[in-house]
Amino acid sequence: ADASDWKNWYYLGRLYIEGQKYNKAYEAYQQAVYREGRNPAAWCSIGILYFAINQFGDAHENYSRSIRLHPYIFETWFNLGILRESNQNDISGAIEAYARASELAPDDAICLERLQILREAK
């Protein structure tokens, strides 16, 4: 594998997250963004990593960075909705994030379900 290609580091980070090897995932993602710092998928994945290790402020920061780079990625908005709903108790913010995600992927059943539940609870 080509160590200079950001994608190799990105996919390695994803594998490490699946194996719950969070320190190694962080190192791999850092290599990915060092090589391609304007890639929103890498920043979203770093947000997922931080969410997994309960660093919610860092997760929010990385999702926001991903959105600033490319505001049309369903996964980033969906993950931001999960973060706002479950760990920041920001129901209005979660609804906003899930609504944006559902605009980008209108057939995603899980997103639509979360949106409906939160709107009914509000």
Side-chain angles (χ1 to χ4, degrees):
D2 182 0
S4 66
D5 187 348
W6 75 270
K7 286 180 256 170
N8 293 328
W9 291 105
Y10 170 75
Y11 289 121
L12 183 61
R14 290 184 61 155
L15 289 172
Y16 281 137
I17 280 187
E18 284 183 29
Q20 298 182 343
K21 296 178 179 177
Y22 300 123
N23 287 338
K24 293 213 174 267
Y26 178 80
E27 292 170 11
Y29 285 142
Q30 289 304 308
Q31 291 296 321
V33 297
Y34 173 73
R35 287 162 176 73
E36 182 56 55
R38 296 193 50 78
N39 187 288
W43 293 109
C44 179
S45 292
I46 294 171
I48 292 168
L49 167 64
Y50 279 127
F51 185 90
I53 59 173
N54 300 322
Q55 288 183 228
F56 305 120
D58 292 326
H60 191 274
E61 179 181 321
N62 282 278
Y63 294 147
S64 296
R65 181 176 287 175
S66 176
I67 288 168
R68 282 193 305 274
L69 290 170
H70 192 327
Y72 304 104
I73 299 175
F74 164 81
E75 290 81 5
T76 308
W77 286 103
F78 183 76
N79 285 312
L80 181 59
I82 293 170
L83 174 67
R84 286 180 170 169
E85 176 184 2
S86 60
N87 296 96
Q88 295 181 330
N89 200 26
D90 176 7
I91 301 306
S92 295
I95 289 171
E96 178 185 316
Y98 287 139
R100 184 68 181 117
S102 71
E103 291 172 10
L104 298 169
D107 296 330
D108 188 279
I110 295 171
C111 184
L112 292 172
E113 178 185 16
R114 296 306 318 144
L115 195 52
Q116 180 180 354
I117 289 169
L118 292 180
R119 283 181 172 157
E120 290 173 359
K122 190 173 178 190

